[in-house]
Amino acid sequence: MMGKKQFLAGIDVGTTKICTTCAQSENGTTEILGTGWAPSRGLKKGVVVNLSETIDSVKVSLEEAERQSQNSIESAYVSIGGVHIRGINSAGETEVRSKNGEITDEDVRRAVIAATSADLSDDYQIIHTLTRDFNVDGHAGVVNPLGMNGKHLSVALHLVLNASAVVQNIVNAINKAGVLVSGVVMQQLASAEAVLSADEKELGTVLVDIGGGTTDLAFYSQGSIWHSEVIPAGGNLITKDIAIGIKAPLEEAEQLKRTAGSVFPE
């Protein structure tokens, strides 16, 4: 039986550029239909500082993606970054309540609730609840405890927190550009899904995504994310250093960085 075609769109809101990609998913395969990008106006380090300029940048990016794909983008998932994002590790424990000691969905749900019940400032909201591993009666490293037998179940989570007002401003900008936001995703989490293999996540890998205004970090081990962080420094600092060093305008320094810059000493 042929699977139903699904139209998907994603918008990456960065400090230096805003990118839009639309794709078609069918039978487990995804085809990119169109992409668009625009210089990011109105944002600094992932935070909206001028709403009208941000809306205009989003519109330019959307229009190019729609033109290439010959589709109208009505909704999209949005990847966000910035110093307002932080990751914390949390753990929760519960007793297994079934008479035969078999762990159920309800037991897992209670453990997760216990792990996410930490007091958080009203200024922050949880945007991702990511499971690191489970522990059954002292045996750690359990990936899926459902159906196992035990008396005590605990879960270790990585929680991604986002400043509510900051996210809402980004959502407002995209809504005012005519697109409904289906959900938000931490940028380094999206990057990891694109570039890391299952083996790399299992063996241990640090992902470093250097943007214009910020650098996003994510550490993976044993198949799951253990740490995430956003550093308020990016490629723009390198451009400014070049401009100061050669006494040139920022635009010229940026062009020089792109054409002559290299991470290899030789």
Side-chain angles (χ1 to χ4, degrees):
M1 180 182 294
M2 294 292 290
K4 184 179 179 181
K5 293 181 180 180
Q6 186 178 14
F7 182 74
L8 302 169
I11 302 174
D12 179 42
V13 180
T15 301
T16 56
K17 65 181 182 297
I18 294 177
C19 301
T20 300
T21 300
C22 47
Q24 180 176 279
S25 177
E26 183 180 15
N27 297 325
T29 61
T30 302
E31 177 188 1
I32 302 298
L33 301 178
T35 59
W37 77 275
S40 186
R41 311 292 186 196
L43 288 108
K44 286 186 178 180
K45 300 187 183 299
V47 177
V48 175
V49 295
N50 187 315
L51 186 61
S52 61
E53 286 187 348
T54 303
I55 295 169
D56 290 340
S57 294
V58 172
K59 285 182 177 179
V60 173
S61 175
L62 283 168
E63 287 168 0
E64 176 61 20
E66 290 178 329
R67 185 190 65 79
Q68 288 187 17
S69 66
Q70 297 183 344
N71 280 277
S72 177
I73 299 175
E74 298 179 354
S75 63
Y77 288 90
V78 178
S79 71
I80 54 176
V83 293
H84 53 279
I85 294 178
R86 61 191 181 100
I88 62 172
N89 292 328
S90 180
E93 184 176 359
T94 186
E95 291 185 359
V96 179
R97 295 182 179 178
S98 61
K99 291 182 179 180
N100 59 2
E102 184 175 305
I103 297 171
T104 65
D105 285 322
E106 179 60 24
D107 296 316
V108 173
R109 189 183 72 84
R110 287 198 311 276
V112 170
I113 290 175
T116 55
S117 61
D119 291 334
L120 299 175
S121 166
D122 292 337
D123 295 333
Y124 280 86
Q125 62 182 355
I126 298 174
I127 60 170
H128 294 300
T129 301
L130 308 170
T131 303
R132 288 169 53 193
D133 67 352
F134 291 92
N135 184 307
V136 179
D137 289 349
H139 298 286
V142 176
V143 176
N144 184 359
L146 291 178
M148 296 178 65
N149 284 78
K151 294 182 179 179
H152 300 279
L153 172 70
S154 63
V155 62
L157 301 177
H158 184 72
L159 305 178
V160 178
L161 312 179
N162 213 327
S164 305
V166 175
V167 174
Q168 192 56 53
N169 284 331
I170 293 174
V171 170
N172 287 344
I174 294 173
N175 286 341
K176 290 180 184 297
V179 175
L180 177 68
V181 175
S182 301
V184 294
V185 183
M186 180 176 66
Q187 283 179 345
Q188 57 264 57
L189 189 63
S191 298
E193 291 303 306
V195 303
L196 295 186
S197 67
D199 280 348
E200 288 170 329
K201 292 179 180 179
E202 183 66 31
L203 294 172
T205 301
V206 177
L207 180 140
V208 182
D209 188 349
I210 303 175
T214 60
T215 297
D216 301 327
L217 301 176
F219 170 58
Y220 280 81
S221 182
Q222 300 175 33
S224 59
I225 187 169
W226 285 60
H227 177 75
S228 63
E229 187 174 351
V230 179
I231 299 173
N236 286 349
L237 282 179
I238 299 173
T239 301
K240 289 179 181 178
D241 285 346
I242 294 172
I244 293 170
I246 66 173
K247 296 180 174 59
L250 287 172
E251 185 175 347
E252 184 178 330
E254 176 69 17
Q255 184 64 25
L256 180 62
K257 181 183 75 174
R258 290 172 179 264
T259 56
S262 175
V263 295
F264 300 107
E266 63 272 16

